[in-house]
């Protein structure tokens, strides 16, 4: 027999997402890639939109780079029981879908896909994990820094960075 299952109220969702409200809105995006000297070089621009939809935050982003268009749809969920966040990513450019687990630490949202069974591979067959770090820089600007690891998260290297400028 199916027992009683509680529902998550809008108040609970708003409380858990309150640390992420800086994400909600429409943004111009400037994209940077890491180069060997650990400097960031501007590589593209585009736009992003984050919306709170029920118990999820959805992001749609498209960035035009020199020889590429990065088009993604990300859905963030709040796990009120574990006080953590999960994210599903759909990369329309590559056809890759992945699941990330995250926590908020000092108002910085950090996701990684270390536990994911889906592993990104390069042309040489090397597998990668990714770490995503979302941070509010000011009321008008946010940042997403993406790192990669080839050793299961023991060592991280810079990969790409997006600056989000509120419209």
């Amino acid at each position: 027999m199916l027992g009683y299952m509680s529902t998550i109220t809008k108040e609970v969702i708003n409380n858990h997402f309150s640390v992420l409200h800086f994400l909600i809105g429409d943004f111009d995006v400037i994209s940077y890639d890491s180069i060997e000297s650990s400097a960031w070089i501007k590589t593209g621009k585009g736009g992003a939109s984050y919306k709170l939809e029920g118990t999820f935050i959805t992001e749609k982003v498209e960035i035009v780079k020199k020889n590429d268009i990065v088009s993604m749809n990300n859905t963030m969920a709040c796990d009120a029981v574990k006080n953590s966040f999960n994210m599903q990513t759909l990369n329309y450019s590559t056809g890759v879908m992945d699941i990330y687990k995250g926590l908020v630490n000092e108002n910085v949202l950090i996701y990684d896909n270390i536990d994911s069974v889906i592993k990104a591979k390069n042309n040489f067959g090397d597998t990668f994990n990714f770490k995503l770090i979302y941070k509010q820089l000011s009321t008008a600007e946010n940042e997403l820094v993406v790192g990669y690891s080839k050793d299961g998260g023991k060592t991280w290297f810079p990969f790409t960075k997006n600056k989000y400028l509120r419209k």
Side-chain angles (χ1 to χ4, degrees):
M1 175 176 219
L2 184 61
Y4 173 76
M5 293 176 53
S6 65
T7 58
I8 298 176
T9 65
K10 190 166 185 98
E11 180 181 358
V12 169
I13 294 301
N14 285 336
N15 286 339
H16 279 79
F17 277 137
S18 65
V19 294
L20 304 183
H21 276 324
F22 69 90
L23 293 175
I24 307 301
D26 295 317
F27 299 88
D28 289 321
V29 180
I30 302 171
S31 182
Y32 302 84
D33 285 343
S34 175
I35 57 175
E36 290 182 28
S37 65
S38 298
W40 295 104
I41 58 167
K42 183 178 174 183
T43 55
K45 61 182 180 175
S49 176
Y50 289 86
K51 292 184 171 74
L52 181 59
E53 300 184 73
T55 58
F56 300 97
I57 293 176
T58 59
E59 176 197 21
K60 293 184 180 180
V61 63
E62 185 170 286
I63 300 169
V64 178
K65 294 189 171 195
K66 186 175 183 179
N67 297 318
D68 195 16
I69 295 177
V70 177
S71 180
M72 297 187 72
N73 188 333
N74 300 316
T75 302
M76 300 177 186
C78 169
D79 185 334
V81 174
K82 295 181 182 175
N83 198 27
S84 64
F85 296 89
N86 297 306
M87 181 171 63
Q88 173 190 30
T89 65
L90 301 172
N91 187 325
Y92 294 116
S93 309
T94 63
V96 173
M97 180 176 99
D98 208 347
I99 303 293
Y100 288 74
K101 292 182 180 179
L103 295 170
V104 173
N105 186 10
E106 297 181 18
N107 292 327
V108 176
L109 176 59
I110 303 171
Y111 283 111
D112 69 56
N113 67 346
I114 292 173
D115 294 334
S116 176
V117 296
I118 303 168
K119 302 294 180 197
K121 288 187 179 183
N122 65 13
N123 294 337
F124 304 107
D126 299 322
T127 59
F128 295 89
N129 292 104
F130 293 99
K131 180 184 281 191
L132 314 174
I133 303 168
Y134 291 87
K135 177 166 113 171
Q136 183 177 26
L137 302 177
S138 71
T139 56
E141 188 175 10
N142 302 330
E143 178 179 77
L144 165 63
V145 176
V146 179
Y148 74 93
S149 174
K150 294 193 287 185
D151 59 11
K154 295 176 188 161
T155 310
W156 293 98
F157 299 96
F159 180 63
T160 190
K161 174 171 73 170
N162 291 342
K163 282 203 174 184
Y164 294 78
L165 307 167
R166 192 172 299 280
K167 290 184 178 183

